[in-house]
Amino acid sequence: MRVPLSWLREYVDLPATETGRDVQAKLISAGLEVETVEQLGHDLKGPLVVGQVLTIEELEGFKKPIRFCTVDVGQANGTGEPQEIVCGARNFAVGDKVVVVLPGAVLPGNFAIAARKTYGKTSHGMICSGDELGMGDDGSHGIIVLPQETEVGKDAIELLELVDEVLDIAVTANRGDCLSIRGVARETAIAYGLPLRDPALLDVPGPNAFGYPVQVSDPVGCDRFTARTVTGLSPEARSPIWLQRRLQKVGMRPISLAVDVTNYVMMEVGQPLHAYDRTLVQGTIGVRRAAEGEKLVTLDGVERTLHTEDLVITDERGPIGLAGVMGGANTEIADHAESEGTTDVVIEAAHFDAVSIARTARRHKLSSEASKRFERGVDPQASSAAAQRTVDLLMLLAGGTAEAGVTEVIAPSAPHTIAVPADHPDKVAGVGYGRETVVRRLQEIGCDVYGQDELIVTVPSWRPDLGEVNDLAEEVIRLEGYENLPSTLPKPPSGRGLTHRQRLHRRVGRALAGAGYVEAPNYPFVGEQVFDQLGLDADDPARRVVRLTNPLNDEEPALRTSLLPGLLAALRRNDGRGSHDLALFETGLVFLPREEQGVAGQLPVDRRPTAEEIAAIDAVLPEQPRHVAAVLAGAREQAGWWGKGRPADWADAVEAARTVAAEAGAELIVRKGQYGPWHPGRCAELVVVADGTERVVGHAGELHPRVLKALGLPARTSAMELDLDVLEQVGDDTPRAPGISTFPVATQDVALVVDAYVPHADVEAALREGAGELLEAIRLFDVYENAEQLGDGRKSLAYALRFRAGDRTLTVDEASAARDAAVALAGERTGAVLRG
């Protein structure tokens, strides 16, 4: 909400010395989020005056139309002679009043004005547009043309109110009252302890039987509807400068007088209004829910198919407006520039259900200034005053006549009353405010307060967000100043700290970060098309997703079943921005729907839920295991004076998985696998043994080229994903000191030739088992392939075996015997033979 300080001063007598920054500080202290204070015209320097165009000479021979004008600026130029100005705009004629900036002036953006020769003429100044003066869009897209009654030579800075301060307030969803000058003025008056001149306090005639006929069929959706009629408006009447400027300062574009007046009153009072061309409305105005398949062309020119929950305004033909959101084109006010402008209007000031308007606006993806206010809460008692204010302005500015008929359709309702202990704000804040302070603060925001120890508080109509005792406590605390609350740190009981699971997650993160990975958390939302891009089978369990009822993005309506989509999108985004050497990781929840779907019950809010109630909720929630994933692309080791470097490959992804398993204290079995997005020849299946049974906990390796192409990823991108919860279950991360032997190690190297398709993991497992207890470590240090020496489809695997006994020095024969036993078992299981 943009609030011009000049407009705010109309309702609160702020001290003349108060600046926008001062008001900002006061409102922030009162709990409003004032983001910026815009200084309009702070870099503007005159002379800037009103001029009248005397002559226009069209200059020929240039690529674009150029006009040489003489303009009467009165005595503003010191001589009284016409000012010669070159201008390229076409939207003004001889006799028009325009805004002229003279040499010596400075326009916004530090644009100094001086006499200069251009297009063969000397231009002594400039005829100005709204953009050049920092006024914003006035709809003309050209030179400012002023009303004919404007005095020549008058200071245009004052006339156009170019110097002002505008507070930009980020209004939270519960403070719909502050989406108006009236609401912000009330907060300002409270903050300064000054009286408020409420613009909604007007003398309003009572309803009678002569008003425009209105039929409300849905009193729940529309509990109040006020209709007023004004006739005899001048179709040539234009919005005065002061009204246009106020609309521009709050961020709205002037359109036509009737529309501008309704927008002005909406920004002033907070009540959205709509003006119908009376000659285009046929019969009784109605309010009802839309019928299935009904259509409406809204003011933006879009034909919309209505939903049965949409609240619509109708006449005898059908819908003429989407209630609380946008009017229909079939009753649109004709602009004053048209040959036959609107002369008779019907003013609508209604109060609609907030939830209904919010759903309609989202359903049609049509957020308007009106819908923003209705869905946050509008003062129902202000509709009559807003209609009267609109009628008064139309009569004043367009010479209209208000018809005597006044229509008000009201659904009976009682004011909202809350019983609150007088010391409740004290208990919430931990500060002793006292009953007198509590009562005074509640009365300042408009509440009626009665009672002594227990207060009976009647909430004002403009604060629908005040629903229970804690809301009232919050009002007292914020007005007394959050900065005045004492800072007291809680004292946690001893023995509390991170859980075992939390410590494991932190260790995993630190370990991967130490290995060169960067953590990249992502949103847990996915679109189901990503499963096709990842190459998952049609019956893959990962395709079963939990869909969101109200997703943030229609393209990602489901919760993720894997961390890879988000991580790979982050890798693609960073690669596209020039970071080609990437290693990213993430730990987070995935969401797996249960076989039997259930509906969660409503938990109580007046007491702590029981363990059974919480368990019933947990039983219908999706399973949410925590996974860890990593992705790599580009160089894993940079080239430099130390060496050539190397690219990231599938082995790095496998090593990342081993790093995670080591932190969890789990023994990870790595073997050849094939799954989804991974290249079938470069995919490792990651297995652990749980309760004597092997369980696949993830995969690692290089992604398939088809996946890389579908997702737009760099060549040879690798990835790893593990179920971290399973690793925690099977692992034992109890710290163990390494065993240090005083006896020497015996090292034996062995090179085995096997078929190319035999996995290294199988050979290593056989060597490890065959070597027995004397084997301390085994390491693959060379892979060699040469068809001439080894034969087609054969490869050589060279291992370093380390043997050691804990109680003696091994002899050569013992080490050789252990090596021979290892080779023999490897030959039996994998067909390995010693390389000769």
Side-chain angles (χ1 to χ4, degrees), residues 318-393:
I320 60 173
L322 203 52
V325 180
M326 185 174 287
N330 52 357
T331 56
E332 183 178 5
I333 296 293
D335 189 75
H336 62 79
E338 299 183 12
S339 57
E340 295 183 3
T342 297
T343 59
D344 301 341
V345 298
V346 178
I347 306 299
E348 166 207 309
H351 184 261
F352 301 109
D353 175 60
V355 174
S356 176
I357 301 305
R359 288 177 176 172
T360 295
R362 283 158 179 75
R363 186 180 300 119
H364 294 281
K365 296 181 176 62
L366 185 61
S367 179
S368 64
E369 291 292 340
S371 68
K372 289 177 184 177
R373 285 160 175 78
F374 277 123
E375 64 189 38
R376 286 166 174 79
V378 169
D379 181 3
Q381 303 291 336
S383 58
S384 299
Q388 182 63 45
R389 176 73 165 140
T390 304
V391 169
D392 292 344
L393 287 173

Side-chain angles (χ1 to χ4, degrees), residues 208-399:
N208 54 52
F210 309 107
Y212 198 93
V214 174
Q215 177 65 45
V216 177
S217 302
D218 190 337
V220 174
C222 176
D223 58 4
R224 183 179 291 262
F225 195 108
T226 301
R228 300 288 299 274
T229 304
V230 181
T231 61
L233 299 177
S234 171
E236 292 81 19
R238 297 175 55 186
S239 301
I241 293 173
W242 63 267
L243 192 149
Q244 293 187 47
R245 288 296 295 132
R246 284 191 170 179
L247 289 178
Q248 288 175 327
K249 289 176 184 178
V250 298
M252 304 190 76
R253 179 173 64 86
I255 298 173
S256 64
L257 177 59
V259 176
D260 292 349
V261 167
T262 58
N263 286 336
Y264 177 85
V265 175
M266 175 180 66
M267 304 307 296
E268 180 182 56
V269 180
Q271 167 68 52
L273 302 109
H274 189 70
Y276 301 94
D277 189 326
R278 183 176 180 178
T279 61
L280 300 178
V281 179
Q282 299 180 11
T284 301
I285 292 178
V287 183
R288 61 170 171 81
R289 300 288 172 172
E292 187 67 39
E294 276 190 309
K295 297 182 183 298
L296 171 68
V297 179
T298 46
L299 289 174
D300 56 359
V302 177
E303 183 180 70
R304 303 183 185 277
T305 300
L306 304 178
H307 190 275
T308 54
E309 290 186 5
D310 291 336
L311 200 64
V312 292
I313 311 298
T314 65
D315 65 3
E316 292 179 352
R317 297 165 297 176
I320 60 173
L322 203 52
V325 180
M326 185 174 287
N330 52 357
T331 56
E332 183 178 5
I333 296 293
D335 189 75
H336 62 79
E338 299 183 12
S339 57
E340 295 183 3
T342 297
T343 59
D344 301 341
V345 298
V346 178
I347 306 299
E348 166 207 309
H351 184 261
F352 301 109
D353 175 60
V355 174
S356 176
I357 301 305
R359 288 177 176 172
T360 295
R362 283 158 179 75
R363 186 180 300 119
H364 294 281
K365 296 181 176 62
L366 185 61
S367 179
S368 64
E369 291 292 340
S371 68
K372 289 177 184 177
R373 285 160 175 78
F374 277 123
E375 64 189 38
R376 286 166 174 79
V378 169
D379 181 3
Q381 303 291 336
S383 58
S384 299
Q388 182 63 45
R389 176 73 165 140
T390 304
V391 169
D392 292 344
L393 287 173
L394 288 175
M395 293 169 59
L396 174 67
L397 302 176

Side-chain angles (χ1 to χ4, degrees), residues 775-804:
L775 181 67
E776 180 181 82
I778 180 172
R779 179 174 64 88
L780 174 68
F781 66 85
D782 184 54
V783 178
Y784 177 69
E785 294 182 5
N786 189 312
E788 294 182 1
Q789 296 184 18
L790 304 178
D792 291 336
R794 304 281 282 175
K795 64 181 177 182
S796 170
L797 304 176
Y799 294 90
L801 309 178
R802 292 169 57 89
F803 297 98
R804 194 193 313 254

Side-chain angles (χ1 to χ4, degrees), residues 421-433 477:
D423 61 348
H424 183 69
D426 302 17
K427 295 179 179 178
V428 172
V431 176
Y433 293 124
I477 296 168

Side-chain angles (χ1 to χ4, degrees), residues 525-587:
F525 312 120
V526 295
E528 294 181 65
Q529 72 281 355
V530 76
F531 300 128
D532 296 326
Q533 296 170 330
L534 289 175
L536 299 186
D537 294 335
D539 59 348
D540 194 300
R543 284 183 175 269
R544 294 187 63 244
V545 295
V546 178
R547 290 179 179 82
L548 300 171
T549 302
N550 187 22
L552 292 178
N553 184 348
D554 290 340
E555 295 181 358
E556 296 179 331
L559 292 173
R560 66 189 178 190
T561 57
S562 166
L563 300 183
L564 290 183
L567 266 182
L568 293 174
L571 185 141
R572 178 181 64 245
R573 186 164 52 251
N574 283 275
D575 180 71
R577 294 175 179 174
S579 299
H580 303 302
D581 304 324
L582 295 162
L584 309 177
F585 83 93
E586 178 181 8
T587 61

Side-chain angles (χ1 to χ4, degrees), residues 344-523:
D344 301 341
V345 298
V346 178
I347 306 299
E348 166 207 309
H351 184 261
F352 301 109
D353 175 60
V355 174
S356 176
I357 301 305
R359 288 177 176 172
T360 295
R362 283 158 179 75
R363 186 180 300 119
H364 294 281
K365 296 181 176 62
L366 185 61
S367 179
S368 64
E369 291 292 340
S371 68
K372 289 177 184 177
R373 285 160 175 78
F374 277 123
E375 64 189 38
R376 286 166 174 79
V378 169
D379 181 3
Q381 303 291 336
S383 58
S384 299
Q388 182 63 45
R389 176 73 165 140
T390 304
V391 169
D392 292 344
L393 287 173
L394 288 175
M395 293 169 59
L396 174 67
L397 302 176
T401 301
E403 289 192 353
V406 177
T407 302
E408 280 197 12
V409 180
I410 303 174
S413 61
H416 183 50
T417 300
I418 303 172
V420 54
D423 61 348
H424 183 69
D426 302 17
K427 295 179 179 178
V428 172
V431 176
Y433 293 124
R435 178 188 177 280
E436 181 179 344
T437 298
V438 171
V439 171
R440 175 172 57 85
R441 289 302 189 183
L442 293 178
Q443 289 175 337
E444 285 178 344
I445 64 173
C447 297
D448 291 329
V449 185
Y450 303 95
Q452 292 298 320
D453 293 339
E454 183 175 68
L455 304 178
I456 306 301
V457 181
T458 302
V459 174
S461 59
W462 56 82
R463 291 299 303 274
D465 59 304
L466 302 181
E468 50 103 13
V469 292
N470 286 326
D471 296 331
L472 300 179
E474 180 185 2
E475 292 299 298
V476 174
I477 296 168
R478 75 174 181 86
L479 293 178
E480 284 295 303
Y482 291 121
E483 69 276 11
N484 296 323
L485 293 176
S487 298
T488 305
L489 293 176
K491 296 180 180 179
S494 60
R496 301 286 179 88
L498 298 178
T499 64
H500 177 270
R501 188 185 194 204
Q502 290 170 330
R503 289 195 298 271
L504 172 60
H505 297 163
R506 294 197 178 188
R507 288 203 313 275
V508 167
R510 284 195 294 266
L512 289 175
Y517 291 82
V518 176
E519 187 170 13
N522 296 281
Y523 285 119

